[in-house]
Amino acid sequence: MSESLFLQRQSSRFLVAHPREAGWVVHEFGSDSAEELSLNYLLDCLREWHPAAITRRTALPLVGAGTFQNSMPICAASEAGALNSASEEANAYGWRGTIELIWNGQDIHCHTFSLMLGKGCFGIYFVATKSLAAFRDLLLVLERYGKARLKEKKKEIYVVNGDNIPVTASSWDDLVLPAQMARDIRSNVEGFFASPDRYAALGIPHRRGFLFAGPPGCGKTLTLKTLASNTPAKFISVMGTADVDDGMLRNALDLAEGCTPAVVLLEDLDRMVQAKGISLSHFLNLLDGLKVLNGVLVIATCNEPDKLDPALIHRPSRFDRVWRFGLPKYEQRLELLRRKGGTFFSESALVETARQTEGFSMAYVQEIVVSALLECAHDDLLPNGSHLFKSLGTLRMQRKEASKPDELMDERESVGFSMSNNREERGRSIDIRSGVGAGF
């Protein structure tokens, strides 16, 4: 049977069961329209919020395999004791079959089925109602339910040239950065997305560019993940790999433009602009050419800003704010040691370790604790300060062997900070724009 004939028979059958002369009005929706109205969540919405509304149900939920990967019973006894009730059904991304319900005292009948078109499978939804007002009210409830489900959905950073990155819940309090720096980054990002009307009133394109600069392991990536966890925007990333090209950058910006509010992450910008597939002039034009990317925030990271072309960082319309992620000061090192090792090591051991780690990156400071705990676990020993100091000595030797013969350890980890030789300036931001809107 052809797809068109199958659709015709299904629709005819539904129309015969719901004749217009009996007061029924029948609506048909494709997959896209149904998802926009959250009709694909009808079964779950009724089951969770309004189970008493269902008068007849032959519909089955469409559940992804991943739903059960982390919820398998651990033994036969637990399986036998599982509740077989509607409240125990897994959340579905859709449903197929028939649902009849009474809403606001009015009958509403819904039926959906799958239709194969080419290599794709599409859902067709029929809704019959005798009261458009009741149906509209049901749609309002479905809209609220759909938004709630969207919030529960695991957030990911979409990576154009790699695997998507899952975003775990994290708080700004989890960042071990200078307090003013963390507040500054947060207020600028939140202010950007909260102020489109203000930008428009001032005649400023609603786009900005931020640059996170500094050596590896000093908090740039963790800050990006914190932003992704707490910012209600789509995050799209391009990695600075050897095979990155102009098409990937254009694709990322086009995607961002189509799903604003959005953040485009350009990771390892210093490596990206040196890739063979990248044309610097094309890249610059993408960032601030004739096409204005309203509602798009571009955030780039780099380890060695001195390798960037001046056209990138000295023209405000491209990256108008630069934050320097420097090597952590004593207070930050001690705070990180307390968070990671406070349960296992004495305060005096943590203080002494923080004092002896001048020039260490945040990643190295954390590794001291991790290495000490792993050694204790392998040898079945209770952790103490001696294990922490031994780990510190091992990592000191490792850093020394990895350094150039004529290079100090703290110099090696400070590569890329030729913008400023003043240690007190690290961690501060530079606002390149001198015009309106810098503090938004």
Side-chain angles (χ1 to χ4, degrees), residues 75-253:
C75 63
S78 63
E79 182 174 310
L83 295 176
N84 183 19
S85 67
S87 63
E88 293 299 312
E89 292 185 46
N91 282 340
Y93 64 85
W95 56 279
R96 292 292 180 267
T98 299
I99 301 174
E100 297 180 359
L101 65 142
I102 294 179
W103 195 262
N104 291 348
Q106 301 293 327
D107 288 313
I108 299 178
H109 295 175
C110 307
H111 177 75
T112 181
F113 60 93
S114 297
L115 187 66
M116 297 299 299
L117 293 176
K119 295 183 179 180
C121 180
F122 300 88
I124 303 296
Y125 292 75
F126 293 129
V127 177
T129 178
K130 292 185 178 181
S131 170
L132 291 178
F135 182 44
R136 291 192 187 101
D137 186 73
L138 174 62
L139 290 178
L140 291 175
V141 174
L142 283 173
E143 181 184 17
R144 291 196 295 272
Y145 182 84
K147 289 180 178 179
R149 284 287 294 269
L150 187 61
K151 288 182 179 180
E152 294 173 1
K153 187 178 180 181
K154 288 185 178 179
K155 190 173 184 180
E156 288 186 326
I157 298 174
Y158 176 76
V159 181
V160 171
N161 56 339
D163 295 330
N164 291 353
I165 302 170
V167 177
T168 56
S170 60
S171 164
W172 285 98
D173 294 333
D174 296 333
L175 289 178
V176 185
L177 293 177
Q180 182 56 46
M181 179 180 178
R183 286 195 295 268
D184 202 23
I185 294 173
R186 181 179 181 179
S187 64
N188 272 268
V189 172
E190 292 178 352
F192 171 78
F193 287 115
S195 307
D197 294 339
R198 188 176 179 188
Y199 275 77
L202 294 171
I204 302 172
H206 188 222
R207 66 155 307 279
R208 292 197 75 183
F210 298 156
L211 179 65
F212 292 172
C218 287
K220 299 189 299 294
T221 299
L222 184 57
T223 301
L224 291 177
K225 290 182 177 180
T226 302
L227 283 171
S229 176
N230 294 277
T231 305
K234 179 72 174 179
F235 277 68
I236 301 165
S237 176
V238 184
M239 311 296 289
T241 55
D243 61 348
V244 66
D245 58 34
D246 290 338
M248 295 174 185
L249 291 172
R250 185 171 57 252
N251 184 25
L253 293 171

Side-chain angles (χ1 to χ4, degrees), residues 174-179 216-219 326-342 345-370 388 392 395-396 399 409-410 413-414 423-424 426:
D174 296 333
L175 289 178
V176 185
L177 293 177
C218 287
L327 297 172
K329 296 181 181 179
Y330 167 79
E331 294 80 10
Q332 291 148 18
R333 298 195 302 274
L334 180 57
E335 175 63 21
L336 183 59
L337 287 167
R338 283 171 174 164
R339 291 187 184 189
K340 300 300 180 181
F345 304 105
S346 66
E347 177 68 10
S348 60
L350 297 174
V351 168
E352 181 61 21
T353 303
R355 189 184 64 81
Q356 293 189 35
T357 49
E358 177 70 25
F360 276 54
S361 69
M362 300 295 271
Y364 261 106
V365 172
Q366 177 171 299
E367 184 60 25
I368 293 171
V369 177
V370 173
L388 198 63
L392 171 60
L395 287 178
R396 273 189 173 280
R399 293 172 72 244
M409 283 186 290
D410 59 342
E413 293 228 25
S414 300
R423 299 178 72 88
E424 294 301 318
R426 295 177 185 172

Side-chain angles (χ1 to χ4, degrees), residues 18-65:
H18 302 88
R20 177 175 291 274
E21 54 269 23
W24 291 102
V25 177
V26 176
H27 304 272
E28 179 185 336
F29 302 92
S31 293
D32 292 341
S33 298
E35 290 184 13
E36 186 176 345
L37 296 171
S38 294
L39 273 173
N40 58 310
Y41 291 137
L42 176 63
L43 179 58
D44 279 354
C45 177
L46 294 174
R47 175 172 56 83
E48 294 179 28
W49 288 8
H50 301 279
I54 300 176
T55 58
R56 176 174 173 264
R57 165 192 162 184
T58 61
L60 297 174
L62 299 178
V63 183

Side-chain angles (χ1 to χ4, degrees), residues 393-411:
T394 301
L395 287 178
R396 273 189 173 280
M397 183 61 64
Q398 179 178 316
R399 293 172 72 244
K400 183 177 181 180
E401 292 175 352
S403 303
K404 297 176 182 178
D406 58 346
E407 181 181 39
L408 296 176
M409 283 186 290
D410 59 342
E411 289 176 345

Side-chain angles (χ1 to χ4, degrees), residues 242-396:
D243 61 348
V244 66
D245 58 34
D246 290 338
M248 295 174 185
L249 291 172
R250 185 171 57 252
N251 184 25
L253 293 171
D254 286 345
L255 286 172
E257 183 186 25
C259 61
T260 56
V263 177
V264 174
L265 305 178
L266 306 177
E267 299 207 52
D268 294 321
L269 182 63
D270 39 352
R271 293 175 56 193
M272 183 179 294
V273 295
Q274 296 176 30
K276 292 182 179 180
I278 294 293
S279 165
L280 183 60
S281 60
H282 181 67
F283 182 32
L284 298 176
N285 186 60
L286 285 175
L287 290 179
D288 68 343
L290 295 176
K291 187 176 182 180
V292 178
L293 299 172
N294 281 311
V296 177
L297 173 63
V298 178
I299 303 179
T301 68
C302 71
N303 297 330
E304 301 180 275
D306 56 318
K307 291 186 177 181
L308 294 177
D309 190 288
L312 272 172
I313 58 175
H314 294 311
R315 181 166 174 175
S317 59
R318 287 158 186 164
F319 295 104
D320 43 40
R321 198 71 184 264
V322 179
W323 278 278
R324 298 169 176 170
F325 286 71
L327 297 172
K329 296 181 181 179
Y330 167 79
E331 294 80 10
Q332 291 148 18
R333 298 195 302 274
L334 180 57
E335 175 63 21
L336 183 59
L337 287 167
R338 283 171 174 164
R339 291 187 184 189
K340 300 300 180 181
T343 305
F344 308 98
F345 304 105
S346 66
E347 177 68 10
S348 60
L350 297 174
V351 168
E352 181 61 21
T353 303
R355 189 184 64 81
Q356 293 189 35
T357 49
E358 177 70 25
F360 276 54
S361 69
M362 300 295 271
Y364 261 106
V365 172
Q366 177 171 299
E367 184 60 25
I368 293 171
V369 177
V370 173
S371 295
L373 293 177
L374 285 176
E375 182 177 353
C376 292
H378 293 160
D379 297 335
D380 196 21
L381 299 172
L382 290 175
N384 59 49
S386 63
H387 300 115
L388 198 63
F389 300 143
K390 181 181 178 181
S391 177
L392 171 60
T394 301
L395 287 178
R396 273 189 173 280

